[in-house]
Amino acid sequence: MLAPSVEVPGTVISRFDSRLASELDARLVWIAEVGTEVKEGDTIARLEDFTFKVREMEAKAMVDGEAARVEFLESEVERLTRLSERNLSAVSQLDQTRSDLAVAKSDRDVAKAKLGYAQIALHMTVMRAPFDGVVTERLRSIGERLNAADEVIRLVDPGSLEIVARAPLSTVNFIRVGQHLQARNEFRSAESTIRTIVPFGNPQSHMFEVRMNADPG
């Protein structure tokens, strides 16, 4: 059977194409070469970590100090509790020590939180790949000083390709998700499955977007 057909231009893109940014203010000391294939979790860049190691050491020392204070006050509470059973004058001292212990525990928790922040910052000095892919662009060079949110490297997953095409609104009622459409270029032609349809058209161009699966070949 004959049916009208419409040809529209399309573009092959990756569903995972990210420009990864620094989360810290630090100097860039290493970055992966363009073309490097990486797995999720692999190191793709490193920032200078000396300052962050010092901050972690300082935070650990604060935690140790507050923990020692809590331990001392807990032993004091036990001692004064026994003493207050025989000496009424120790009761007021016991109440004060209990109050000091509550404050010390709070200070210890704050110190632990600061240690956690320091450890997170140290962890972020190593930039890791969020997905499998290939380094396609180095946006910064070794030795440059970075600010938080500065883009550092571009990572693309060539195994998650899709075709993005824009079709006339007049055709929206004739296609559906899961349907097979013919996709071709000057080298080959193959069927492609519609993954999703973006139903909101552009009011100026009267076009809507169709996204279809595409294999890396």
Side-chain angles (χ1 to χ4, degrees):
M1 296 178 63
L2 296 177
S5 62
V6 176
E7 290 192 354
V8 297
T11 304
V12 177
I13 66 170
S14 173
R15 294 175 61 190
F16 299 99
D17 183 346
S18 300
R19 293 173 178 265
L20 304 175
S22 169
E23 298 184 68
L24 303 169
D25 296 337
R27 189 169 63 89
L28 182 64
V29 296
W30 181 84
I31 186 170
E33 294 288 345
V34 171
T36 302
E37 296 184 5
V38 297
K39 297 292 185 181
E40 180 180 348
D42 286 353
T43 300
I44 53 176
R46 284 197 299 268
L47 308 179
E48 192 172 54
D49 61 2
F50 176 76
T51 300
F52 301 99
K53 286 181 177 179
V54 171
R55 290 177 182 174
E56 182 190 37
M57 292 171 58
E58 181 182 16
K60 283 182 177 179
M62 289 179 62
V63 170
D64 292 343
E66 295 299 338
R69 184 175 170 224
V70 168
E71 185 178 354
F72 169 74
L73 289 173
E74 286 177 338
S75 64
E76 280 294 287
V77 167
E78 292 179 2
R79 182 181 68 83
L80 291 171
T81 298
R82 293 191 300 269
L83 185 62
S84 64
E85 295 173 354
R86 303 187 302 273
N87 186 352
L88 294 179
S89 63
V91 174
S92 61
Q93 188 178 356
L94 174 61
D95 291 339
Q96 180 61 50
T97 304
R98 283 174 173 167
S99 176
D100 292 342
L101 176 59
V103 173
K105 287 182 177 180
S106 177
D107 290 342
R108 181 193 58 189
D109 292 341
V110 171
K112 286 182 177 180
K114 289 181 178 180
L115 174 59
Y117 281 121
Q119 291 173 334
I120 290 172
L122 182 60
H123 177 78
M124 290 190 299
T125 59
V126 178
M127 296 182 63
R128 298 171 175 83
F131 50 82
D132 297 353
V134 178
V135 175
T136 61
E137 193 174 359
R138 298 170 72 176
L139 305 172
R140 293 284 180 167
S141 297
I142 293 174
E144 288 191 65
R145 179 77 184 182
L146 303 176
N147 296 315
D150 282 349
E151 293 181 345
V152 178
I153 195 168
R154 183 181 179 188
L155 186 66
V156 178
D157 179 10
S160 300
L161 300 180
E162 67 179 2
I163 300 170
V164 179
R166 288 172 177 82
L169 285 174
S170 58
T171 63
V172 69
N173 294 323
F174 299 96
I175 61 175
R176 62 186 183 276
V177 174
Q179 184 178 352
H180 298 290
L181 296 180
Q182 197 72 16
R184 63 182 177 84
N185 57 21
E186 61 269 30
F187 304 109
R188 54 177 266 178
S189 176
E191 281 193 342
S192 183
T193 306
I194 297 177
R195 186 179 66 82
T196 187
I197 297 173
V198 183
F200 301 102
N202 186 313
Q204 284 76 37
S205 64
H206 301 285
M207 308 285 278
F208 68 99
E209 191 173 275
V210 180
R211 291 183 175 245
M212 299 177 288
N213 297 324
D215 63 75

